[in-house]
Amino acid sequence: MGRLIHGIAEEGTIRVIASDSTDIVAEAVRRHKTAPTASAALGRVLTGTLLLGASFKDFDRLTVKIESEGEIGGIVAEADANGNVRGYAKNPSAEVPAKQNGKFDVRGIVGEGMFYVIRESGFDIGLHRDPYVGSVPIVSGEIAEDFAYYLARSEQIPSAVLLGVLLNNSAPYVRAAGGVMIQMLPGADERVIKAVEAAVEKAPHLTTSLTEGATAEDLLEISMGGIEFEVLHERETAFKCNCSHERALGLVSALGEEEVRAMLEEDDGAKLDCGFCNETYELSPDDLRRMLRKGTTD
Ligand code: ZN
């Protein structure tokens, strides 16, 4: 479980969001067995997606998709309105040596490409609205700057975004992860914006604070300097996928009778991996036989 808080400052002209996402990133890394630099990249995207989700009122599903030419190939994270997030890196073993200052060279595995935000709403109540899709080129590859650039360019919300992942050399690999998003809404005072920018610039690393026991509120306090804020909502967050054995059965059934018969005769069953959470579903010969008796759904 992680925790996410959401609040305002300066009479609602500034929106503040923060999260301790250590458990979420740990679960993602455990499931996908990502190499260290890929872990940092995926962890930043998962955390940023949760923070971004907290700034929209109306959505069922928010997807952040990075398509890149770097070794990692791409990263996808998907959050729902209840604080659940899931995601993966296309190439979990993407790795380059750390930078001279010891930090992960996330830019080194992301490279150039596009940053997409897809917001879907209404399908829970049967509305088939077109999803909202926003996109910007990747300007940094370090992820936090890319979220900030997206918000400024596509949503017209100048923002400060901090995302951090700190790893250990052995299990448990994720020592700390968290993020802060400060959005300057219409009417925000220019002096306050400057003050926030200066405070963010001077703030110690989020992950250092987290390892010293900082909460999401503490992360905001550190990032906001002396500017007061009020927390309006808080929620638990989790790395959670919506795949299941039932869904795996449905997917295989949809392949049609011929395909299912071939799986039964040639492979004596079927095996499916969920891309989002790396869970494996094994369908037994009996599962397939039952499917054939009931009739496939094609
Ligand atoms: Zn899954």
Side-chain angles (χ1 to χ4, degrees):
M1 284 292 182
R3 217 170 130 257
L4 183 139
I5 59 167
H6 176 194
I8 51 168
E10 296 291 318
E11 281 147 20
T13 58
I14 294 183
R15 186 188 280 141
V16 295
I17 308 161
S19 175
D20 171 353
S21 57
T22 306
D23 291 352
I24 287 169
V25 179
E27 180 68 4
V29 168
R30 188 185 71 75
R31 286 183 167 272
H32 293 294
K33 299 180 178 64
T34 36
T37 309
S39 300
L42 176 60
R44 290 180 194 177
V45 175
L46 288 167
T47 307
T49 303
L50 274 174
L51 297 175
L52 189 61
S55 58
F56 297 122
K57 275 206 180 76
D58 172 36
F59 74 96
D60 296 327
R61 187 158 67 192
L62 176 82
T63 307
V64 170
K65 194 168 89 179
I66 289 174
E67 281 178 1
S68 78
E69 288 161 17
E71 196 191 338
I72 200 156
I75 303 168
V76 180
E78 196 188 279
D80 67 17
N82 302 316
N84 300 313
V85 68
R86 58 180 190 161
Y88 63 92
K90 277 190 190 154
N91 175 12
S93 19
E95 183 65 352
V96 288
K99 292 192 267 195
Q100 275 184 344
N101 60 9
K103 295 186 133 210
F104 295 112
D105 187 4
V106 171
R107 185 198 311 254
I109 57 168
V110 171
E112 299 195 343
M114 290 296 288
F115 183 99
Y116 299 92
V117 174
I118 303 141
R119 223 151 75 210
E120 293 160 280
S121 65
F123 53 67
D124 274 357
I125 51 167
L127 284 175
H128 295 283
R129 274 192 227 155
D130 284 338
Y132 166 85
V133 183
S135 67
V136 289
I138 292 171
V139 288
S140 153
E142 291 287 343
I143 312 297
E145 293 87 340
D146 297 294
F147 272 93
Y149 185 72
Y150 168 79
L151 279 162
R153 275 300 290 274
S154 206
E155 308 274 349
Q156 283 78 50
I157 304 173
S159 307
V161 182
L162 300 168
L163 300 170
V165 174
L166 183 66
L167 301 181
N168 294 316
N169 289 324
S170 55
Y173 292 102
V174 179
R175 192 154 167 223
V180 164
M181 191 175 271
I182 304 169
Q183 303 179 347
M184 324 297 177
L185 303 175
D189 189 283
E190 204 53 44
R191 276 178 312 136
V192 177
I193 294 176
K194 288 260 159 17
V196 169
E197 282 167 356
V200 165
E201 193 91 3
K202 274 195 303 210
H205 292 304
L206 299 184
T207 48
T208 309
S209 306
L210 284 167
T211 56
E212 290 163 358
T215 61
E217 283 88 347
D218 297 331
L219 297 185
L220 269 184
E221 223 166 283
I222 293 162
S223 313
M224 291 286 281
I227 302 165
E228 280 182 27
F229 59 88
E230 184 190 350
V231 175
L232 300 178
H233 305 285
E234 78 164 88
R235 72 156 36 125
E236 289 189 333
T237 53
F239 184 100
K240 197 171 163 202
C241 193
N242 54 13
C243 63
S244 65
H245 192 77
E246 283 301 302
R247 286 203 160 193
L249 287 172
L251 278 171
V252 170
S253 175
L255 295 172
E257 188 183 335
E258 205 175 315
E259 194 75 19
V260 173
R261 207 170 287 284
M263 284 173 169
L264 183 61
E265 282 158 14
E266 289 159 29
D267 307 324
D268 204 28
K271 216 164 127 182
L272 253 85
D273 292 318
C274 174
F276 272 105
C277 70
N278 215 19
E279 189 77 37
T280 301
Y281 293 97
E282 307 225 17
L283 274 55
S284 68
D286 274 345
D287 283 332
L288 299 183
R289 271 184 221 109
R290 216 170 297 130
M291 211 177 275
L292 288 168
R293 273 201 304 275
K294 277 200 299 193
T296 52
T297 54
D298 66 334

